[in-house]
Amino acid sequence: MFYEKMGSGEPVIFLHSGYSRGILAFASQMLDFQRAYTCYFPDFRGHGRTRCESLEWSTPQLVDDIIVFMNQLGIPKAHLIGYSLGANVGLYLAVHHSDRVVTLTTIGTSGFCDPTGVEQFEPEWIVAEGLHGMIHQMTERHQEAHKGNWEEHMRQAARDWRLYPQLTESQLRGIRCPSLFITGEHDAFAGEERVKHLSSLVKGSQYLVVPGGSHSPHMIREKPILVNDTILPFLNAHIISE
């Protein structure tokens, strides 16, 4: 698994969104967080610069990969910050590997499967609409992962979007790590009501609705300062116990 690392301090693993890669999805967090934490930005299987023989992947498989990643780097437990697909990966880790998660921060997930809009990310639709810019972006961004087969990359992402997360309310209620759920005010995939519901299931959790924010409220043209200034004190309040 390809990854980038910077900073020093307690480990924070940043889990990127679909169609992206580690360092791109969190470009507006790198400088702030590396001042106080050791930050890891892995590229998921099927994304960015991580190379695999098979182009197939799924959310549960990404969860297993992160556990292997932590084991190989000798990280017993870490703070997790996940965006969209990565937020779902973070939820799975908090549910199934609670001993490895110090805190969980999610951005842009409701915690439940919702395939709304996925058809606009199918390769056939993209070609029919003449979205050559997206084709170029997906080809260039994930060249090493999908070996130039951008169509299969998009199909795989759409397949996962339609299937996951598959977590029950009972499983979400079982999350015990300190949790912070973030959504943009206008996020069509999460939004205030859905994130309030998710927070109501996870005992002691907090949530933030970013005013005017979209699905990516932590990014440069939105409200990264507000998002960073919310997450950093949250992490600082929950240091790794010896």
Side-chain angles (χ1 to χ4, degrees):
M1 178 181 287
F2 178 86
Y3 71 97
E4 298 189 63
K5 173 186 174 183
M6 60 190 68
S8 61
E10 294 188 357
V12 179
I13 301 176
F14 290 83
L15 306 169
H16 66 78
S17 55
Y19 312 106
S20 190
R21 50 191 290 189
I23 209 161
L24 288 179
F26 296 102
S28 296
Q29 283 63 59
M30 288 188 295
L31 293 180
D32 279 351
F33 283 79
Q34 59 88 31
R35 293 189 179 101
Y37 297 94
T38 302
C39 301
Y40 298 88
F41 301 89
D43 288 354
F44 289 145
R45 176 189 299 263
H47 297 74
R49 300 184 67 182
T50 292
R51 302 176 182 179
C52 296
E53 289 302 315
S54 172
L55 300 186
E56 294 184 3
W57 59 269
S58 67
T59 291
Q61 193 171 22
L62 301 182
V63 173
D64 292 342
D65 287 345
I66 292 299
I67 292 299
V68 171
F69 174 77
M70 293 175 72
N71 290 343
Q72 289 179 339
L73 293 183
I75 303 172
K77 54 177 62 177
H79 302 276
L80 303 180
I81 301 176
Y83 166 45
S84 195
L85 168 64
N88 295 334
V89 172
L91 287 170
Y92 269 76
L93 286 162
V95 167
H96 296 295
H97 301 278
S98 59
D99 59 319
R100 310 300 296 271
V101 183
V102 184
T103 66
L104 171 65
T105 300
T106 71
I107 303 170
T109 186
S110 69
F112 297 92
C113 184
D114 180 4
T116 302
V118 66
E119 64 279 353
Q120 296 182 14
F121 290 82
E122 295 278 11
E124 293 78 12
W125 190 91
I126 293 169
V127 170
E129 293 296 313
L131 301 180
H132 303 295
M134 179 180 286
I135 294 171
H136 175 76
Q137 186 181 69
M138 291 300 103
T139 301
E140 185 274 333
R141 185 177 292 179
H142 306 288
Q143 179 69 37
E144 291 182 57
H146 61 48
K147 307 168 189 176
N149 189 350
W150 71 271
E151 296 99 329
E152 184 56 31
H153 172 80
M154 300 300 285
R155 287 192 191 96
Q156 190 63 54
R159 187 177 302 121
D160 189 81
W161 185 349
R162 286 190 169 95
L163 290 174
Y164 299 102
Q166 292 182 14
L167 296 171
T168 65
E169 290 195 354
S170 177
Q171 286 176 307
L172 292 169
R173 286 192 184 97
I175 293 176
R176 290 291 177 261
C177 66
S179 301
L180 170 62
F181 305 120
I182 299 175
T183 181
E185 179 184 5
H186 304 299
D187 185 349
F189 306 108
E192 183 171 3
E193 291 306 312
R194 293 178 180 181
V195 166
K196 283 175 66 175
H197 177 61
L198 175 60
S199 184
S200 74
L201 298 174
V202 180
K203 186 176 180 179
S205 65
Q206 308 170 41
Y207 73 89
L208 169 69
V209 178
V210 179
S214 72
H215 186 54
S216 51
H218 62 299
M219 291 190 175
I220 186 65
R221 293 190 179 275
E222 297 206 20
K223 302 288 179 64
I225 295 175
L226 172 60
V227 172
N228 293 359
D229 286 354
T230 300
I231 300 174
L232 284 165
F234 170 69
L235 300 189
N236 191 52
H238 301 286
I239 62 173
I240 297 177
S241 58
E242 296 297 335

